[in-house]
Amino acid sequence: MQQVQVLDKSFELLHTAQEIQRHVKKLGKKLATDYAGKDPVFIVLLNGAFIFAADLLRQVTIPATISFVRIASYQGLTATGNLKTVFGITDKITGRHIIIIDDILDTGQTLSFLKNELLPEAPLSVKTVVCFRRKIKHETDRLTDYVCLEIEEGFVIGYGLDYNGYGRHLKDIYRLK
Ligand code: IMP
Ligand code: MG
């Protein structure tokens, strides 16, 4: 599919599922190497990261636990700036290595918010993984430790990312025209 219509907007193909999978595999293997023997906790940000995390974590063939957290920040195409944890982490964080998994790094607000929430629990380390990062340079770009794929500017959907709740289960990713 070269194009998709979601609600009132048209989107064009940006990266295919095969391209994404190639990068996901590579990153999963790197995480398995970097965290071997460290018994990490992966924290998956819902809803956006659910597909990426499912693919990525099946490549991470080391002992680890997985928690899910939900933070709301986007309404339609724009960030609202009001971040709040909707539901939280069930794993014990103290003394563990934490890896937060998100779908895309935009302003970096979501990841720094969650990092700050975790620090009082005294984890051994906190690192972040995102599936996509826009190529435009933000100050906060340095906040993420692992990136699967750098993408061009523009609002994207598919592979977990939505426009007003739609488009998450598209296999490829598409950019707003
Ligand atoms: P940040 O806190 O500004 O880095 O925003 C990150 C969050 O905003 C992601 O976890 C997404 O849920 C959402 N987001 C940012 N860019 C897009 C996009 O292009 N499409 C869909 N959701 C996006
Ligand atoms: Mg999100």
Side-chain angles (χ1 to χ4, degrees):
M1 251 187 329
Q2 285 302 313
Q3 279 200 39
V4 287
Q5 178 75 25
V6 174
L7 303 173
D8 59 331
K9 303 264 187 276
S10 310
F11 295 83
E12 61 193 357
L13 184 65
L14 186 63
H15 290 289
T16 63
Q18 288 92 320
E19 284 177 75
I20 299 167
Q21 287 309 322
R22 214 178 45 237
H23 291 276
V24 170
K25 271 198 177 142
K26 221 166 90 186
L27 182 58
K29 290 196 173 116
K30 179 156 176 50
L31 286 169
T33 308
D34 291 0
Y35 284 89
K38 291 187 172 171
D39 184 31
V41 186
F42 287 96
I43 296 180
V44 181
L45 277 165
L46 296 174
N47 299 327
F50 83 112
I51 289 178
F52 171 52
D55 287 342
L56 180 72
L57 291 173
R58 279 179 290 178
Q59 304 294 330
V60 182
T61 51
I62 54 164
T65 60
I66 305 165
S67 264
F68 299 87
V69 77
R70 188 167 181 181
I71 299 169
S73 75
Y74 256 68
Q75 241 158 38
L77 301 173
T78 47
T80 64
N82 301 316
L83 297 169
K84 61 177 184 181
T85 309
V86 178
F87 69 87
I89 298 146
T90 49
D91 274 298
K92 206 171 129 263
I93 299 305
T94 311
R96 302 277 305 270
H97 292 281
I98 313 299
I99 306 133
I100 305 168
I101 304 179
D102 204 4
D103 50 1
I104 186 166
L105 185 79
D106 188 19
T107 63
Q109 258 194 56
T110 309
L111 288 177
S112 53
F113 170 80
L114 184 54
K115 261 186 156 175
N116 288 336
E117 291 274 292
L118 296 177
L119 289 178
E121 305 285 324
L124 274 184
S125 68
V126 183
K127 295 214 169 175
T128 57
V129 180
V130 294
C131 189
F132 305 111
R133 178 170 68 181
R134 284 182 231 283
K135 272 180 188 160
I136 47 163
K137 286 287 160 234
H138 287 118
E139 272 274 284
T140 50
D141 274 1
R142 276 173 261 113
L143 277 178
T144 193
D145 301 291
Y146 298 92
V147 178
C148 201
L149 197 56
E150 301 272 356
I151 60 167
E152 300 298 329
E153 221 177 313
F155 189 85
V156 292
I157 57 163
Y159 202 65
L161 292 143
D162 71 305
Y163 167 51
N164 278 348
Y166 289 87
R168 286 195 200 278
H169 55 296
L170 292 163
K171 291 193 180 100
D172 310 304
I173 66 158
Y174 295 84
R175 180 174 46 181
L176 182 68
K177 282 177 84 168

